[in-house]
Amino acid sequence: MTASGGSAVTVDAADGGRWTSLLLAGCEWLWPGPGLMSGPRTGTSKFVDAGGLDECFPTVRGTPDHGGLWNQPWDGSVTYADTQLTRTFTSGPDTVTADYHLQAPPGFRFIWAAHALLDCAVGARLSAPDGAVCRLYPEAAPYLTAPWPADAPWIETTWPTPLDLSTYGPSDGTAVGAVLVDCPTVSVSDRGAILTFELICPGQPVSTALWRNQAGFPDEAPYRSLGVEPMLGRVFDLAEAGPGDAAVVPASGELAWRLTVAARPV
């Protein structure tokens, strides 16, 4: 779809409803991917990184890896088990809004993330509230001064963490995932423009996941990618979600949320 003001989002409905292009403020923001395969990933059982923005539901990490939506086609909506997720786009000048509506059994617990991989240059900066709680995941252990606690799925620190995740640096062989807990808004500054994500879902845990890959993943053929992932939930893996860490469908059997992505030149 396209809209006025130089805004456009392009979606590949056949490939998991993946956002393949996000044009805002005259910039293309989505990373085109490492070229691991061509054509839709329909029916593929192991997640293949295709770049752009994947819809992850009902988990990000865990089973199924990156959720169960990326490997099936969309037609305005998509089903998973006994749930149905519908997505509608609207646009304004340098703004794209995605409205989501989920129908699912009351009490259904899930994690959802807009798994956006951005096409940013070395030196891009991420902005989040100073002191925000940030959960670091075990891949960060080799880069920390303190030993990783035994069997801990994550450790909590404060933004921007000892690793300074606010900077997308040069290729140094690192790849780190984190979740900014209860943080609904994050901005990225890159090449003269600022991109802002804002997620709204009253009564549900709203966070932002991050993935900073500076040529540290995968081991056999590492590449670079910067993930900024507005999220319902506080963890990557639904199986690790404690009380309050996952979104929960209310008694009505319906839940709605809104993701707004906006950009402006600086």
Side-chain angles (χ1 to χ4, degrees):
M1 62 167 292
T2 59
S4 61
S7 302
V9 58
T10 303
V11 170
D12 188 342
D15 189 32
R18 181 170 61 95
W19 305 24
T20 58
S21 176
L22 180 64
L23 182 64
L24 296 171
C27 300
E28 173 55 64
W29 290 95
L30 293 181
W31 177 57
L36 298 177
M37 66 181 295
S38 59
R41 297 164 292 172
T42 303
T44 303
S45 59
K46 183 178 180 181
F47 179 74
V48 178
D49 191 351
L53 186 156
D54 277 308
E55 305 278 357
C56 294
F57 171 91
T59 189
V60 181
R61 298 184 181 182
T63 304
D65 185 19
H66 285 71
L69 305 185
W70 58 267
N71 57 358
Q72 58 176 310
W74 285 54
D75 183 16
S77 63
V78 65
T79 59
Y80 177 82
D82 50 358
T83 73
Q84 183 178 53
L85 181 63
T86 302
R87 179 185 64 193
T88 305
F89 289 104
T90 56
S91 298
D94 292 324
T95 302
V96 170
T97 298
D99 284 296
Y100 295 85
H101 180 259
L102 176 68
Q103 294 178 290
F108 181 82
R109 299 173 77 244
F110 68 94
I111 304 295
W112 166 87
H115 186 274
L117 297 175
L118 305 182
D119 187 14
C120 290
V122 172
R125 300 282 296 176
L126 282 75
S127 297
D130 287 339
V133 173
C134 189
R135 290 176 172 174
L136 282 177
Y137 280 74
E139 60 267 21
Y143 318 120
L144 301 174
T145 55
W148 192 268
D151 300 323
W154 64 77
I155 61 170
E156 289 194 351
T157 181
T158 55
W159 180 257
T161 83
L163 304 177
D164 189 15
L165 293 180
S166 65
T167 301
Y168 187 45
S171 297
D172 59 5
T174 64
V176 177
V179 174
L180 282 160
V181 177
D182 299 332
C183 180
T185 303
V186 168
S187 295
V188 180
S189 301
D190 181 50
R191 291 172 288 191
I194 297 177
L195 182 74
T196 300
F197 294 89
E198 182 180 28
L199 180 60
I200 298 174
C201 188
Q204 300 291 335
V206 176
S207 304
T208 304
L210 303 174
W211 171 247
R212 191 185 70 177
N213 178 14
Q214 296 174 168
F217 176 87
D219 291 338
E220 61 276 14
Y223 47 80
R224 293 176 57 85
S225 54
L226 177 63
V228 179
E229 308 167 26
M231 165 187 282
L232 293 183
R234 298 188 177 108
V235 294
F236 280 118
D237 189 344
L238 179 61
E240 296 174 345
D245 282 341
V248 181
V249 175
S252 65
E254 300 185 45
L255 185 64
W257 61 93
R258 170 172 287 183
L259 172 63
T260 301
V261 190
R264 60 181 177 85
V266 293

